[in-house]
Amino acid sequence: MAFARTCSVALVGVEGVVVEVQADLEPGVAAFTLVGLPDKSLTESRDRVRAAVVNSGAEWPQKKLTVGLSPASVPKAGSGFDLAVACAVLGAAERIDPRVLADIVMIGELGLDGRVRPVRGILPAVLAAADAGYEQVVVPECAAAEAALVPGVSVLGVRSLRQLIAVLAEEPVPEEEPDELGRPDPLLAGLRVPGTGAATGMHSLAAQHDSEHDLADVVGQTSARTAVEVAAAGGHHLFLEGPPGAGKTMLAERLPAVLPTLTREESLEVTAVHSVAGLLPPGKPLIDIAPYCAPHHSATMQSLVGGGPGIARPGAVSLAHRGVLFLDEASEFHSQTLDALRQPLESGHVVIARSAGVVRFPARFLMVLAANPCPCGRFSQRDALCECPPSAIRRYQARLSGPLLDRVDLRVEIDPVTRAQLTAPGARGESTATVADRVRAARERTVARLTGTPWRTNSEVPGRELRSRFQAVSGAMDEAERNLERGVLTARGIDRVLRVAWTVADLVGHDRPDATDVALALQLRTGVPRGVPMAIGALT
């Protein structure tokens, strides 16, 4: 019996399942049957694999060929199985020793000329192979750096099927002709999905982490700058409300640069999501900075939380994992789309149920909402420039539902910048580097306090733990508790006030939140002045 097997990986969301690719040759009329619940793109691999094998100088077996993908109950999608199918067929035809193929995981698409093209999701696929105990992985050459991020796995990057056959058969490896100089490498096209990238606001590098986007550029807005710093230090959600041109978008764009650099574990999580989404930029296999996603207010629910036809794909909440999700003109989003954010805001992940299966994507992000106070944007309690009727203002502000805003820790009303503030000498505030240093020090205090727990930031600590293990100074929460009795705060709201108070205490260097820290947290949540300085530097 002519039989060979090798392995590949089927992705379900950002999780992988190792699939055994089996090839069997029997006497009979030449035919190629592919079984194991393949989708349309995988079914078409029969023609791609046959052409690639012939154009690589190998002989195609003229027998009855059956290729099985096991387990057969798991849906398989995509063209990443081509390389494994081709090698399994060549193993069954005894062109390659079948014993060499058994313990190798192969991921890659084949061109008709035998070149190996990259596919989406290389990193999560290799992670799944490593978790299953495999130590050897074959991937396209241009994706080898991404696969090498997984420790304990030997990665072989190949540019063509001819090279792989020679390596497995222990023959001299042929040299591939280089592409013409000055032309883009066509193989890199498989790493990106058309229609996605920085122009859509859903790219990890959309926020410029350089001197062109510095917090010192924001004039005035002491309360908003403090809120941005607290949000970055504790991972708290932020709502900025104010007239057009006051600096809401400027603050949101500068928030990612204030966030600390991602840890190795966080970088792998973020890179896996962007790899599956086809947003991993070529030449940068590991994303180590906080992602920034800013979808337009016309975004659909599927583009925001994930989904789509067929196999569900990650949405903006997952692309912003461990980073910032900025929803500008939040009141213009569809109310059902915004309310779909409630579950990921609480749980840190999003679960998408489809007939083909249930997919779970990570979604622990820092949400920043920005909105005008009314349709014309000029409504304020300090002047009478707004001409909107009260009913229109109420309808406009009601587009952001109470349950959604209850999950937002920090709410700041931004005032227009005055001429005196804009033209005053020395009006520039603290730079991004100065604020980032305080945020990094506060995160270090938080991590030291939460050592031995599954949480890394104050925003993740459950309310029961806050009330039992991480309590404030005696009497510091009295004012917050009175707000709870008067109905100003909900039970969830008072927990969030205590989380923000812990972040303020970490920023100013207090061992536990005192009355001043809680007062600042209350002021940032309710907008009611509490008689405390708004600048963090004034509290230290």
Side-chain angles (χ1 to χ4, degrees):
M1 179 181 66
F3 176 83
R5 62 184 178 88
T6 187
C7 295
S8 189
V9 178
L11 287 178
V12 182
V14 292
E15 299 176 355
V17 178
V18 176
V19 174
E20 188 175 79
V21 181
Q22 306 168 347
D24 177 70
L25 286 174
E26 298 178 359
V29 179
F32 189 172
T33 304
L34 182 65
V35 297
L37 211 59
D39 72 339
K40 180 64 175 178
S41 61
L42 183 50
T43 302
E44 293 174 348
S45 69
R46 294 178 298 184
D47 299 320
R48 290 195 302 269
V49 168
R50 182 187 292 110
V53 168
V54 173
N55 290 328
S56 297
E59 183 179 353
W60 184 260
Q62 297 300 318
K63 295 183 180 181
K64 181 181 179 182
L65 171 63
T66 303
V67 174
L69 308 176
S70 179
S73 59
V74 176
K76 290 98 181 165
S79 56
F81 294 86
D82 289 1
L83 199 58
V85 171
C87 289
V89 171
L90 293 174
E94 298 182 350
R95 175 64 178 85
I96 303 173
D97 187 352
R99 294 172 296 180
V100 177
L101 301 173
D103 296 325
I104 301 178
V105 174
M106 301 184 182
I107 307 163
E109 176 187 333
L110 285 175
L112 298 183
D113 56 355
R115 290 183 300 172
V116 182
R117 305 180 64 91
V119 294
R120 294 183 291 113
I122 290 290
L123 178 60
V126 177
L127 284 170
D131 292 340
Y134 290 88
E135 299 179 352
Q136 291 182 308
V137 177
V138 177
V139 298
E141 183 182 54
C142 51
E146 180 184 349
L149 296 173
V150 182
V153 176
S154 175
V155 177
L156 172 62
V158 294
R159 194 170 183 84
S160 67
L161 181 60
R162 289 195 310 150
Q163 290 183 337
L164 180 57
I165 294 173
V167 171
L168 296 178
E170 298 182 352
E171 299 172 355
V173 180
E175 292 291 337
E176 294 293 337
E177 296 182 3
D179 295 317
E180 295 183 19
L181 295 178
R183 297 185 60 185
D185 190 346
L187 297 182
L188 296 178
L191 293 174
R192 301 296 295 272
V193 176
T196 57
T200 64
M202 293 187 180
H203 192 268
S204 61
L205 304 180
Q208 298 294 325
H209 294 62
D210 53 29
S211 58
E212 295 182 2
H213 288 71
D214 198 295
L215 268 177
D217 300 334
V218 181
V219 178
Q221 310 300 1
T222 303
S223 300
R225 290 172 59 94
T226 299
V228 167
E229 184 174 347
V230 173
H236 305 288
H237 306 304
L238 173 62
F239 176 36
L240 301 173
E241 184 179 30
K248 302 186 296 293
T249 303
M250 289 181 65
L251 287 164
E253 288 177 345
R254 285 150 179 78
L255 178 55
V258 180
L259 293 173
T261 305
L262 300 179
T263 64
R264 177 74 177 185
E265 180 182 357
E266 292 171 345
S267 296
L268 290 176
E269 293 176 1
V270 173
T271 304
V273 174
H274 284 73
S275 178
V276 169
L279 288 170
L280 196 62
K284 187 175 177 60
L286 184 66
I287 298 176
D288 56 358
I289 58 177
Y292 175 82
C293 295
H296 191 259
H297 59 257
S298 62
T300 63
M301 185 182 300
Q302 287 77 15
S303 67
L304 200 61
V305 300
I311 301 298
R313 294 185 56 189
V317 296
S318 298
L319 298 177
H321 180 60
R322 302 296 181 184
V324 177
L325 175 66
F326 177 44
L327 302 181
D328 198 7
E329 304 295 343
S331 299
E332 301 295 338
F333 280 82
H334 196 279
S335 58
Q336 291 183 348
T337 302
L338 288 178
D339 287 338
L341 298 175
R342 297 185 198 174
Q343 185 255 343
L345 284 174
E346 286 290 322
S347 61
H349 61 266
V350 59
V351 178
I352 303 171
R354 294 290 185 270
S355 59
V358 179
V359 177
R360 182 181 185 272
F361 291 115
R364 188 166 296 282
F365 55 90
L366 195 165
M367 181 180 69
V368 179
L369 301 174
N372 297 326
C374 67
C376 75
R378 295 179 295 177
F379 174 73
S380 174
Q381 297 179 353
R382 295 177 175 83
D383 50 50
L385 296 176
C386 177
E387 299 179 356
C388 301
S391 59
I393 296 175
R394 286 195 300 270
R395 285 195 302 269
Y396 190 81
Q397 295 181 349
R399 294 181 180 180
L400 300 178
S401 65
L404 176 65
L405 291 180
D406 196 39
R407 290 166 166 83
V408 178
D409 302 339
L410 312 171
R411 308 174 192 174
V412 179
E413 183 176 346
I414 298 181
D415 297 324
V417 179
T418 64
R419 177 183 178 184
Q421 291 175 325
L422 195 61
T423 59
R428 290 170 62 91
E430 292 179 317
S431 65
T432 295
T434 302
V435 177
D437 289 340
R438 283 204 300 265
V439 169
R440 183 170 57 253
R443 286 282 185 108
E444 291 173 355
R445 295 188 187 99
T446 304
V447 170
R449 183 176 63 254
L450 298 178
T451 301
T453 69
W455 315 298
R456 304 287 292 177
T457 60
N458 290 319
S459 62
E460 302 174 16
V461 182
R464 64 180 183 276
E465 299 292 335
L466 290 169
R467 292 186 292 271
S468 58
R469 295 175 56 184
F470 306 106
Q471 298 180 353
V473 174
S474 178
M477 293 293 293
D478 290 348
E479 182 63 25
E481 292 169 358
R482 284 192 290 270
N483 279 266
L484 176 63
E485 292 176 353
R486 292 195 295 265
V488 178
L489 294 175
T490 62
R492 180 192 287 120
I494 198 169
D495 287 344
R496 292 186 175 273
V497 167
L498 185 52
R499 292 190 184 107
V500 175
W502 268 110
T503 301
V504 174
D506 289 334
L507 283 169
V508 300
H510 294 166
D511 293 335
R512 289 196 298 166
D514 57 18
T516 303
D517 301 330
V518 175
L520 179 56
L522 278 170
Q523 184 167 333
L524 288 173
R525 181 170 180 84
T526 64
V528 179
R530 305 285 172 170
V532 295
M534 286 302 299
I536 294 296
L539 297 177
T540 55

